[in-house]
Amino acid sequence: AQRVTQPEKLLSVFKGAPVELKCNYSYSGSPELFWYVQYSRQRLQLLLRHISRESIKGFTADLNKGETSFHLKKPFAQEEDSAMYYCALSGTSGTYKYIFGTGTRLKVLA
Amino acid sequence: DGGITQSPKYLFRKEGQNVTLSCEQNLNHDAMYWYRQDPGQGLRLIYYSQIVNDFQKGDIAEGYSVSREKKESFPLTVTSAQKNPTAFYLCASRESSYNEQFFGPGTRLTVL
């Protein structure tokens, strides 16, 4: 079955602490992995994608095909990182159907 | 102002009535999507369309219908057959070069 699993519904950390939002996936083939973020009163938007291998707002995510994981990390959390984070995957050819995880709400405490 | 628009922002419906949610984009994207967002369940795909006059069912299509007569528009009809229609509905389009989805602001549907 094709699935994206985010085990944590809520993650609370203190400002300046490291953050890791977990994402595991199940997919037959080679998917493309994404992290989308929804800040309060804003639209859902792309944060980063594994193909780009870039750091956005201090966040990075490495695709681990062996563990089928795509965890999102940031060494020092900021209050403005508080948001809802969704891990997602899509196929890389043909039908671009997306599968989203259930989301993790990150709260960064002062 | 470019991007994706959804209307209305809030919608109330009586049981037994069909209702249509609007989604328009001026990004010239071929693919468009409808998702349902419920607390604790993330985004679930209702329907998607990769090109005009073509669409496919997503994971929870029962009780919903769509049309794609124009590239810019992808309306979603919530029919009376949908047993639990109260939810937040998100429309998105896909930028093909980077495989990035752009989302609308959403419509909150409440069935009274």
Side-chain angles (χ1 to χ4, degrees), chain A residues 9 32 34 36 38 43-46 49 84 86 90-92 94-103, chain B residues 4-5 33 35 37 40-43 45 48 50 58-59 88 90 94 97-101 103-105:
Chain A
K9 287 188 177 181
E32 185 167 0
F34 309 85
Y36 279 81
Q38 191 168 29
R43 303 185 184 197
L44 193 61
Q45 59 188 287
L46 178 67
R49 43 202 297 254
M84 193 73 177
Y86 291 96
S90 79
T92 53
T95 301
Y96 286 88
K97 176 183 172 182
Y98 291 78
I99 301 170
F100 282 80
T102 52
Chain B
I4 299 181
T5 58
Y33 303 77
Y35 295 92
Q37 189 177 29
Q41 298 197 53
L43 276 71
L45 183 63
Y48 61 108
Q50 297 194 93
D59 301 314
F88 190 64
L90 281 172
R94 174 180 166 267
S97 300
Y98 293 99
N99 193 15
E100 177 179 350
Q101 288 201 312
F103 286 85

Side-chain angles (χ1 to χ4, degrees), chain A residues 8-20:
Chain A
E8 304 135 330
K9 287 188 177 181
L10 173 65
L11 183 63
S12 296
V13 300
F14 284 102
K15 178 181 174 181
V19 174
E20 182 178 49

Side-chain angles (χ1 to χ4, degrees), chain B residues 22-61:
Chain B
S22 170
C23 178
E24 303 277 333
Q25 55 103 356
N26 62 3
L27 301 170
N28 200 34
H29 292 167
D30 286 318
M32 297 185 74
Y33 303 77
W34 274 106
Y35 295 92
R36 173 177 169 143
Q37 189 177 29
D38 295 286
Q41 298 197 53
L43 276 71
R44 293 183 290 167
L45 183 63
I46 305 173
Y47 268 97
Y48 61 108
S49 167
Q50 297 194 93
I51 199 166
V52 174
N53 293 322
D54 184 53
F55 49 82
Q56 291 82 38
K57 292 182 178 180
D59 301 314
I60 56 166

Side-chain angles (χ1 to χ4, degrees), chain A residues 13 24 27 32 38 44 49 54 61 77 91 93 96 104 106 108:
Chain A
V13 300
N24 288 89
Y27 189 82
E32 185 167 0
Q38 191 168 29
L44 193 61
R49 43 202 297 254
E54 55 191 348
S93 63
Y96 286 88
T104 297
L106 174 65
V108 181

